[in-house]
Amino acid sequence: MESILINCVQNNLHHFMHSNAIFISQLLCAQFPSETNLQLLAACYLQNNQAYSAYHILKGTKMPQSRYLFAISCFHMNLLGEAEAALCPANEPGAEVPNGAPGHYLLGQVYRYTDRKKRAIDHFKQALSKDPLMWAAYEELCILGDAEEATTVFGEAASFCMQKQYLNCSTSPNLSAEDCNVVATNSVSEDVSPRKLRLMQGLKDIAANPHGSSIIGGAASQLISSGSSNMSFYNTPSPMATQLSSVAPPPLCRNVMPNGPNLSTLNSDNSPKSTVNSTIQAPIQAPRRKFVGEGKLRKISGRLFSDSPRRSSRLSNEASVSSNANATMLSGNGTSNSYKGGSKLGPMTFRTMTVRKGQSWANENMDGGIHNDAVDVSRLNISSTTSCSSAAVEAKAYEQDATTLQVSGQATSESKVITGASEILTILRVLGEGYRLACLYRCKEALDTYLKLPQRHYNTGWVLSQVGKAHYELVDNLEADRVFSLARQIAPYSLEGMDIYSTVLYHLKEDMKLSYLAQELISTDRLAPQSWCAMGNCYSLQKDHETALKNFQRAVQLNPRFAYAQTLCGHEYVAQEDFENGIKSYQRALMVDPRHYNAWYGLGMLYLHQEKFEFSEHHFRMAFRINPKSSVILSYLGTALHFLKRSEEGLAVMEKAILADKKNLLPMYQKANILMSLERFDEALEVLDELKEYAPFESSVFALMGNIYKRRNMHERAMFHYGIALDLKPSATDAATIKAAIEKLYLPDELEDNL
């Protein structure tokens, strides 16, 4: 009964019927109360997004797997202290973290969000060393800015680790490495009940199912089955099957055949039972089916399947023709035998003999001088001793062939695992290096790295979203828009990077595209923070900052660890001049991710507005340390230095900003401002003349030129440039400033300062 209930739960989880799985698990725990069954019930609740239920079920449990599931439920409930205590008990300081690589990854996340960076990095690295395919751990290391080069992480050591883990599982892809060890070390020569299999497995691997959604291991769902299907689990086909005969061999690898006779009772009258049993036991020790050549197969089948309740007329005719053509044949001991058409042959022997139509099996097997034995039933009954010795020789030959094929199959399996591991790690090296460089904001190098991917891997939603982010960081919003649009076409279901895409459209002032994107994302997933970030950017572009703030707050509510949403909240508070709440939002973002440079930049801008220039410089420098390639950060850092009366230092920073990104025109404008304040008017005009070529319709450029000409008392030229600035339709604030400057155009500077 217990096995039936467990199997039912596994099937329900596999088919995403979580509510039914929970109900059956409750029956299971009521009838068979045990901590292992409680793990199953807790796993059902976790898959149904009911972490609080799993928390109460597993609280106080001691088994490693129970502590791991309890830690997951604590993490989802933001009870990070309890999660750490479950994974690292205080009374067991040297205890191993449960569940291997996933356990270390979970513990690393706990340390990360409790601001213990070094410990987090250590556990993420341990997770990668135990499982090189733990990409999430490498992703976390990149985010923390402490990832090694991908060629090192996914190198020879990772390849060796993968081979060690998956070599025994190459023919059973649903098994974990530990499951494969169980299968390899346990013989299947005896009938194993589902109950015994469940106890042997222990349900210790509660991990993802083949579809990536189930927490329960796929191996358990296959091991725990009813009836005779338990034995078929171990009979995986040999990789050499395609190179051998297409005719299936007799089922020699099973002791029990549910729909057929027992091999030990096939020949009840003076048959060599001991020889038969030894012949069967040899291949049973290996979990793989053995395929042998047709000639060997016929020899064995002729002896083992010597009696059959049926006889085909076609077989009788063919045997009769064969007996006339070949009056005598060599038996196993070299004596002459007369083949008689009335001898009884098993159905598997008949299927093997009639591979080639129109030829007798005797003629076929005499090719090349190889002598095949055909034992008459009467002869077998008379001289059992001779038959025993002959069968023993043939059984030994079969064992040798089976061993040879098994070794060959293992070699093929090993080569497949080695080749597969090499191919996977080659792809991961490119993906990992590209992602690492992107997290270090070396975006041009990251883009070059991603281009090394094969086309089928490059044109995926995840890679294209990373490429789009890189272009956004390079302030190439037009190219970012193009790449993100392509990512939406390829993977419209994916929300990866859509928060950044909405910001790209915000900067491009594409209000229609942004509105359409926000509505699409909301209809796709209303519970994703990216959807509400897009909606917030849409309202922010329309200057509805209050509604935009509500949307960003909704994103934070859905995922408090989403740093970008916290930063966007800070931007909206600053737009409403609510600086106190803006500071709190930026600080919350930095608590989630200390390397989130946008929050440092936001704080720098906030203090710049408040004219707290020392604070502003500090936060801009912090942002610059994280993202040293950003020309925007450099330009505002130079501005802060200028206001701190360190104009020469500010000019040097502006030069770096111009070299960092020649497409960004802001540093050139700020450089002209600083030069004007230093009364280096000619140099300032040279910079503005160059800037005019790049931005001929920017009103602020002509307004600044008007200010310079006014300072040089060239009023007519100043008036001319002020007029051009107004004709370019600046914002209301800028227009008012320009008109005020025109009114004061003929006033002396001393009087203007007093007004």
Side-chain angles (χ1 to χ4, degrees):
M1 178 179 176
E2 185 176 6
S3 299
I4 293 172
L5 291 174
I6 292 174
N7 193 30
C8 180
V9 173
Q10 299 284 0
N11 287 332
N12 279 293
L13 290 175
H14 184 72
H15 294 97
F16 307 100
M17 298 183 64
H18 298 135
S19 59
N20 200 61
I22 290 171
F23 178 78
I24 300 299
S25 294
Q26 289 172 341
L27 293 180
L28 173 67
C29 292
Q31 184 71 25
F32 303 100
S34 68
E35 189 170 326
T36 303
N37 290 336
L38 284 178
Q39 293 174 13
L40 194 58
L41 177 59
C44 294
Y45 277 118
L46 281 172
Q47 287 197 55
N48 204 39
N49 294 323
Q50 294 178 257
Y52 50 87
S53 299
Y55 172 85
H56 290 290
I57 289 169
L58 294 173
K59 191 168 186 178
T61 51
K62 300 298 182 183
M63 289 177 64
Q65 192 62 32
S66 300
R67 293 190 286 114
Y68 173 73
L69 292 175
F70 179 71
I72 289 179
S73 62
C74 291
F75 185 79
H76 286 305
M77 297 171 67
N78 206 32
L79 302 173
L80 302 182
E82 291 189 55
E84 181 185 355
L87 294 171
C88 298
N91 55 350
E92 301 177 24
E96 187 177 353
V97 177
N99 219 29
H104 282 285
Y105 171 73
L106 180 59
L107 188 56
Q109 282 196 309
V110 170
Y111 285 135
R112 177 193 167 186
Y113 291 119
T114 52
D115 200 21
R116 287 175 284 179
K117 181 179 176 181
K118 289 184 178 179
R119 288 192 177 186
I121 290 170
D122 180 58
H123 283 282
F124 288 139
K125 288 182 177 179
Q126 288 189 55
L128 267 176
S129 66
K130 290 178 178 293
D131 183 3
L133 296 185
M134 185 64 71
W135 169 261
Y138 188 74
E139 207 170 30
E140 293 288 343
L141 288 171
C142 292
I143 292 170
L144 291 172
D146 205 84
E148 298 178 10
E149 291 187 6
T151 51
T152 303
V153 176
F154 303 107
E156 293 182 2
S159 178
F160 178 76
C161 182
M162 286 181 65
Q163 292 171 32
K164 185 178 178 182
Q165 287 181 2
Y166 295 98
L167 198 55
N168 294 329
C169 301
S170 58
T171 57
S172 299
N174 289 331
L175 287 179
S176 66
E178 294 176 349
D179 297 326
C180 290
N181 292 334
V182 172
V183 174
T185 54
N186 287 278
S187 172
V188 294
S189 59
E190 61 178 3
D191 189 14
V192 184
S193 65
R195 170 68 174 170
K196 187 177 291 185
L197 282 171
R198 190 184 69 80
L199 292 175
M200 178 181 69
Q201 183 63 19
L203 285 178
K204 61 183 177 180
D205 289 320
I206 299 183
N209 70 7
H211 299 286
S213 63
S214 176
I215 298 177
I216 304 298
S221 63
Q222 295 190 25
L223 287 171
I224 304 165
S225 57
S226 58
S228 61
S229 60
N230 294 322
M231 298 305 297
S232 63
F233 173 77
Y234 296 95
N235 294 327
T236 54
S238 169
M240 298 294 290
T242 56
Q243 302 174 13
L244 302 174
S245 171
S246 60
V247 181
L252 296 179
C253 295
R254 292 187 177 94
N255 279 336
V256 180
M257 293 188 293
N259 299 322
N262 195 329
L263 295 181
S264 61
T265 59
L266 280 176
N267 192 2
S268 59
D269 47 347
N270 299 324
S271 61
K273 296 180 181 177
S274 60
T275 306
V276 171
N277 288 335
S278 65
T279 305
I280 298 170
Q281 289 295 330
I284 288 177
Q285 301 302 321
R288 241 186 263 160
R289 291 178 64 180
K290 310 299 186 299
F291 291 85
V292 297
E294 292 178 10
K296 296 289 183 184
L297 192 58
R298 293 188 188 109
K299 292 197 296 183
I300 296 170
S301 61
R303 293 188 179 278
L304 294 183
F305 301 93
S306 58
D307 196 6
S308 175
R310 297 182 181 181
R311 181 172 56 200
S312 169
S313 59
R314 178 183 172 190
L315 174 61
S316 178
N317 294 334
E318 288 188 0
S320 177
V321 173
S322 177
S323 65
N324 293 332
N326 302 286
T328 60
M329 294 185 66
L330 292 177
S331 65
N333 56 2
T335 60
S336 178
N337 253 325
S338 174
Y339 179 77
K340 298 180 180 179
S343 65
K344 300 178 181 179
L345 299 172
M348 295 303 295
T349 309
F350 169 69
R351 188 173 70 176
T352 309
M353 289 196 313
T354 57
V355 176
R356 301 178 187 173
K357 296 182 180 179
Q359 284 189 6
S360 90
W361 68 281
N363 282 333
E364 185 178 331
N365 288 306
M366 289 296 290
D367 261 349
I370 301 175
H371 300 288
N372 291 288
D373 301 326
V375 182
D376 186 72
V377 174
S378 60
R379 177 86 177 181
L380 180 63
N381 291 334
I382 293 170
S383 55
S384 60
T385 306
T386 303
S387 299
C388 284
S389 61
S390 174
V393 172
E394 290 160 359
K396 184 176 181 180
Y398 169 76
E399 289 178 8
Q400 292 175 352
D401 285 352
T403 304
T404 303
L405 287 172
Q406 183 182 7
V407 171
S408 176
Q410 287 176 350
T412 306
S413 177
E414 289 179 9
S415 66
K416 286 182 178 180
V417 171
I418 293 171
T419 303
S422 176
E423 291 175 355
I424 292 170
L425 291 173
T426 299
I427 296 169
L428 286 180
R429 278 194 289 270
V430 180
L431 290 172
E433 188 63 13
Y435 190 78
R436 184 184 74 88
L437 292 170
C439 288
L440 295 175
Y441 300 100
R442 294 159 60 180
C443 298
K444 292 181 180 178
E445 298 172 60
L447 291 173
D448 292 338
T449 304
Y450 285 131
L451 286 174
K452 297 177 183 177
L453 286 168
Q455 187 175 2
R456 60 180 176 272
H457 287 287
Y458 186 87
N459 291 329
T460 58
W462 188 87
V463 173
L464 288 175
S465 68
Q466 299 303 320
V467 172
K469 288 180 184 178
H471 283 296
Y472 164 73
E473 295 294 347
L474 291 171
V475 201
D476 190 355
N477 290 320
L478 289 173
E479 184 64 15
D481 180 20
R482 187 191 69 80
V483 174
F484 275 123
S485 297
L486 183 59
R488 289 288 297 163
Q489 293 175 20
I490 291 175
Y493 52 85
S494 175
L495 302 183
E496 177 69 32
M498 290 301 104
D499 48 333
I500 302 297
Y501 184 28
S502 66
T503 303
V504 169
L505 296 176
Y506 171 87
H507 287 302
L508 292 174
K509 302 187 186 306
E510 294 278 1
D511 52 349
M512 293 297 293
K513 289 178 71 173
L514 180 54
S515 176
Y516 182 71
L517 174 67
Q519 291 178 27
E520 271 195 327
L521 296 180
I522 289 292
S523 63
T524 301
D525 189 356
R526 294 183 63 86
L527 299 179
Q530 294 91 337
S531 304
W532 294 99
C533 285
M535 190 65 75
N537 276 326
C538 185
Y539 282 106
S540 183
L541 184 59
Q542 298 169 11
K543 307 299 181 183
D544 188 353
H545 298 295
E546 186 175 348
T547 307
L549 180 60
K550 289 180 180 179
N551 284 279
F552 293 139
Q553 287 173 337
R554 173 62 175 155
V556 171
Q557 184 183 23
L558 289 168
N559 185 1
R561 298 191 182 104
F562 195 44
Y564 191 56
Q566 300 273 18
T567 298
L568 291 174
C569 284
H571 292 343
E572 293 306 311
Y573 279 123
V574 172
Q576 298 179 56
E577 297 187 355
D578 187 353
F579 298 127
E580 184 178 352
N581 282 320
I583 292 172
K584 290 179 181 178
S585 294
Y586 291 134
Q587 288 175 342
R588 281 194 291 266
L590 292 173
M591 287 177 66
V592 174
D593 183 6
R595 295 190 72 254
H596 188 62
Y597 82 90
N598 307 75
W600 291 107
Y601 166 80
L603 284 168
M605 291 297 294
L606 186 150
Y607 289 122
L608 194 63
H609 283 301
Q610 291 184 325
E611 299 184 359
K612 298 179 179 179
F613 301 122
E614 290 183 356
F615 288 164
S616 178
E617 181 206 354
H618 168 75
H619 289 89
F620 283 135
R621 286 198 183 277
M622 293 297 295
F624 174 71
R625 288 178 189 173
I626 298 167
N627 186 0
K629 302 290 184 178
S630 174
S631 62
V632 176
I633 295 173
L634 281 169
S635 62
Y636 280 110
L637 175 59
T639 303
L641 291 170
H642 167 61
F643 285 124
L644 287 170
K645 310 300 182 184
R646 293 154 61 184
S647 298
E648 292 297 333
E649 191 178 347
L651 279 175
V653 172
M654 289 299 176
E655 290 293 344
K656 291 181 181 178
I658 293 169
L659 293 174
D661 184 8
K662 294 184 179 180
K663 294 180 182 179
N664 185 14
L665 304 180
L666 179 62
M668 295 180 69
Y669 179 79
Q670 299 286 19
K671 178 183 177 182
N673 250 323
I674 296 174
L675 288 170
M676 186 187 75
S677 68
L678 295 174
E679 297 185 354
R680 293 158 63 175
F681 300 125
D682 292 336
E683 295 179 50
L685 286 172
E686 285 179 11
V687 173
L688 290 173
D689 283 334
E690 184 182 355
L691 188 56
K692 267 196 312 183
E693 300 297 324
Y694 297 109
F697 304 106
E698 184 60 48
S699 62
S700 58
V701 174
F702 292 94
L704 184 58
M705 293 180 76
N707 290 337
I708 293 174
Y709 285 121
K710 180 187 175 183
R711 293 280 298 271
R712 297 182 70 175
N713 295 320
M714 301 170 68
H715 301 300
E716 291 183 1
R717 305 199 75 174
M719 189 68 185
F720 174 73
H721 285 89
Y722 283 144
I724 295 176
L726 287 174
D727 290 341
L728 291 174
K729 297 180 180 180
S731 64
T733 305
D734 291 342
T737 304
I738 294 169
K739 289 176 182 178
I742 292 174
E743 291 174 358
K744 301 174 185 177
L745 182 60
Y746 295 99
L747 290 176
D749 292 340
E750 294 81 7
L751 293 176
E752 185 180 342
D753 293 337
N754 294 330
L755 291 177

Short mmCIF file of all heavy atoms in Angstrom, two decimals, residues 2 58 74 94 116 129 135 149 317 321-322 347 367 390 394 422 520 604 610 650 692 707 721:
data_model
loop_
_atom_site.label_atom_id
_atom_site.label_comp_id
_atom_site.label_asym_id
_atom_site.label_seq_id
_atom_site.Cartn_x
_atom_site.Cartn_y
_atom_site.Cartn_z
N GLU A 2 1.93 1.25 0.81
CA GLU A 2 2.79 2.42 0.88
C GLU A 2 3.44 2.72 -0.46
O GLU A 2 3.50 3.87 -0.90
CB GLU A 2 3.86 2.20 1.95
CG GLU A 2 4.73 3.43 2.19
CD GLU A 2 5.71 3.22 3.33
OE1 GLU A 2 5.80 2.08 3.85
OE2 GLU A 2 6.40 4.19 3.69
N LEU A 58 8.15 20.40 8.56
CA LEU A 58 9.53 19.93 8.71
C LEU A 58 10.27 20.54 9.90
O LEU A 58 11.42 20.21 10.14
CB LEU A 58 10.33 20.23 7.43
CG LEU A 58 9.87 19.46 6.19
CD1 LEU A 58 10.60 19.96 4.97
CD2 LEU A 58 10.08 17.97 6.35
N CYS A 74 12.28 28.17 4.61
CA CYS A 74 12.69 29.36 5.37
C CYS A 74 13.18 30.46 4.44
O CYS A 74 12.87 31.64 4.65
CB CYS A 74 13.80 28.99 6.36
SG CYS A 74 13.28 27.93 7.72
N GLY A 94 31.09 20.81 12.28
CA GLY A 94 31.80 20.18 11.16
C GLY A 94 30.91 19.35 10.27
O GLY A 94 31.41 18.61 9.41
N ARG A 116 27.30 38.67 4.11
CA ARG A 116 28.54 37.98 4.42
C ARG A 116 29.11 37.46 3.10
O ARG A 116 28.98 36.28 2.75
CB ARG A 116 28.29 36.85 5.42
CG ARG A 116 28.02 37.36 6.84
CD ARG A 116 27.64 36.25 7.79
NE ARG A 116 26.28 35.81 7.59
CZ ARG A 116 25.70 34.84 8.29
NH1 ARG A 116 26.38 34.22 9.24
NH2 ARG A 116 24.45 34.49 8.05
N SER A 129 32.22 23.26 -7.62
CA SER A 129 33.19 22.16 -7.62
C SER A 129 32.50 20.81 -7.53
O SER A 129 32.98 19.82 -8.08
CB SER A 129 34.17 22.33 -6.45
OG SER A 129 33.50 22.17 -5.21
N TRP A 135 25.01 26.27 -12.90
CA TRP A 135 25.20 27.58 -13.52
C TRP A 135 24.76 28.70 -12.59
O TRP A 135 25.36 29.79 -12.57
CB TRP A 135 24.43 27.64 -14.83
CG TRP A 135 24.35 29.02 -15.42
CD1 TRP A 135 23.30 29.89 -15.33
CD2 TRP A 135 25.37 29.70 -16.15
NE1 TRP A 135 23.59 31.06 -15.97
CE2 TRP A 135 24.86 30.98 -16.49
CE3 TRP A 135 26.65 29.36 -16.56
CZ2 TRP A 135 25.59 31.90 -17.21
CZ3 TRP A 135 27.38 30.29 -17.28
CH2 TRP A 135 26.85 31.54 -17.60
N GLU A 149 37.78 33.22 -14.26
CA GLU A 149 37.54 33.11 -15.69
C GLU A 149 36.84 31.79 -16.00
O GLU A 149 37.12 30.76 -15.40
CB GLU A 149 38.86 33.20 -16.46
CG GLU A 149 39.50 34.57 -16.42
CD GLU A 149 40.71 34.66 -17.33
OE1 GLU A 149 40.97 33.68 -18.07
OE2 GLU A 149 41.40 35.69 -17.29
N ASN A 317 8.15 -27.61 -42.55
CA ASN A 317 8.57 -27.74 -43.94
C ASN A 317 10.03 -27.37 -44.11
O ASN A 317 10.79 -28.06 -44.79
CB ASN A 317 7.70 -26.84 -44.83
CG ASN A 317 6.26 -27.33 -44.86
OD1 ASN A 317 5.99 -28.50 -44.64
ND2 ASN A 317 5.34 -26.40 -45.13
N VAL A 321 13.15 -29.85 -45.41
CA VAL A 321 14.07 -29.56 -46.50
C VAL A 321 15.51 -29.58 -46.01
O VAL A 321 16.42 -30.10 -46.64
CB VAL A 321 13.73 -28.20 -47.14
CG1 VAL A 321 14.79 -27.81 -48.15
CG2 VAL A 321 12.37 -28.26 -47.80
N SER A 322 15.70 -29.03 -44.85
CA SER A 322 17.04 -28.98 -44.28
C SER A 322 17.58 -30.37 -44.00
O SER A 322 18.74 -30.66 -44.21
CB SER A 322 17.04 -28.14 -43.01
OG SER A 322 18.30 -28.15 -42.42
N PRO A 347 9.89 -21.01 -29.64
CA PRO A 347 9.49 -19.92 -30.53
C PRO A 347 10.61 -18.92 -30.79
O PRO A 347 10.70 -18.37 -31.87
CB PRO A 347 8.33 -19.25 -29.77
CG PRO A 347 8.49 -19.68 -28.35
CD PRO A 347 9.11 -21.04 -28.40
N ASP A 367 28.61 -21.45 -42.95
CA ASP A 367 29.48 -20.52 -43.67
C ASP A 367 30.82 -20.39 -42.97
O ASP A 367 30.87 -20.25 -41.77
CB ASP A 367 28.84 -19.14 -43.77
CG ASP A 367 28.19 -18.94 -45.12
OD1 ASP A 367 28.42 -19.78 -46.00
OD2 ASP A 367 27.46 -17.96 -45.25
N SER A 390 28.56 -30.18 -23.52
CA SER A 390 28.44 -29.30 -24.68
C SER A 390 27.82 -27.96 -24.29
O SER A 390 28.30 -26.90 -24.69
CB SER A 390 27.60 -29.98 -25.75
OG SER A 390 27.35 -29.11 -26.81
N GLU A 394 29.32 -24.13 -24.53
CA GLU A 394 28.63 -23.04 -25.21
C GLU A 394 28.31 -21.89 -24.26
O GLU A 394 28.37 -20.72 -24.62
CB GLU A 394 27.35 -23.58 -25.85
CG GLU A 394 27.67 -24.50 -27.03
CD GLU A 394 26.50 -25.40 -27.38
OE1 GLU A 394 25.47 -25.30 -26.68
OE2 GLU A 394 26.61 -26.18 -28.33
N SER A 422 32.53 17.40 -22.87
CA SER A 422 33.38 18.38 -23.55
C SER A 422 32.55 19.41 -24.31
O SER A 422 32.82 20.61 -24.26
CB SER A 422 34.32 17.65 -24.51
OG SER A 422 35.09 18.57 -25.25
N GLU A 520 1.70 43.71 -22.79
CA GLU A 520 2.04 42.32 -23.11
C GLU A 520 2.61 41.60 -21.89
O GLU A 520 2.25 40.45 -21.61
CB GLU A 520 3.07 42.29 -24.25
CG GLU A 520 2.47 42.25 -25.62
CD GLU A 520 3.50 41.85 -26.66
OE1 GLU A 520 4.70 42.19 -26.48
OE2 GLU A 520 3.12 41.20 -27.64
N GLY A 604 24.19 59.74 -5.81
CA GLY A 604 25.05 60.85 -6.22
C GLY A 604 24.25 61.97 -6.85
O GLY A 604 24.47 63.16 -6.56
N GLN A 610 20.76 68.41 -4.08
CA GLN A 610 20.74 69.07 -2.77
C GLN A 610 21.98 69.92 -2.53
O GLN A 610 22.11 70.51 -1.46
CB GLN A 610 20.62 68.01 -1.66
CG GLN A 610 19.28 67.30 -1.61
CD GLN A 610 19.19 66.33 -0.45
OE1 GLN A 610 20.18 65.69 -0.07
NE2 GLN A 610 18.02 66.22 0.15
N GLY A 650 38.23 68.09 -12.49
CA GLY A 650 36.98 67.80 -13.18
C GLY A 650 37.17 67.72 -14.69
O GLY A 650 36.58 66.87 -15.37
N LYS A 692 27.98 70.91 -31.93
CA LYS A 692 26.89 71.26 -32.84
C LYS A 692 26.79 70.28 -34.01
O LYS A 692 25.70 70.02 -34.52
CB LYS A 692 27.10 72.68 -33.39
CG LYS A 692 26.41 73.74 -32.60
CD LYS A 692 26.32 75.05 -33.39
CE LYS A 692 27.63 75.46 -34.02
NZ LYS A 692 27.52 76.78 -34.71
N ASN A 707 25.35 82.29 -23.77
CA ASN A 707 25.92 82.73 -22.48
C ASN A 707 27.39 83.14 -22.63
O ASN A 707 27.85 84.12 -22.03
CB ASN A 707 25.78 81.63 -21.43
CG ASN A 707 24.35 81.40 -21.00
OD1 ASN A 707 23.50 82.30 -21.13
ND2 ASN A 707 24.06 80.21 -20.49
N HIS A 721 22.10 83.38 -30.94
CA HIS A 721 22.11 82.00 -30.45
C HIS A 721 20.95 81.74 -29.48
O HIS A 721 20.41 80.63 -29.46
CB HIS A 721 23.45 81.68 -29.79
CG HIS A 721 24.55 81.49 -30.79
ND1 HIS A 721 25.34 82.53 -31.26
CD2 HIS A 721 25.01 80.38 -31.43
CE1 HIS A 721 26.23 82.08 -32.11
NE2 HIS A 721 26.05 80.76 -32.24
#
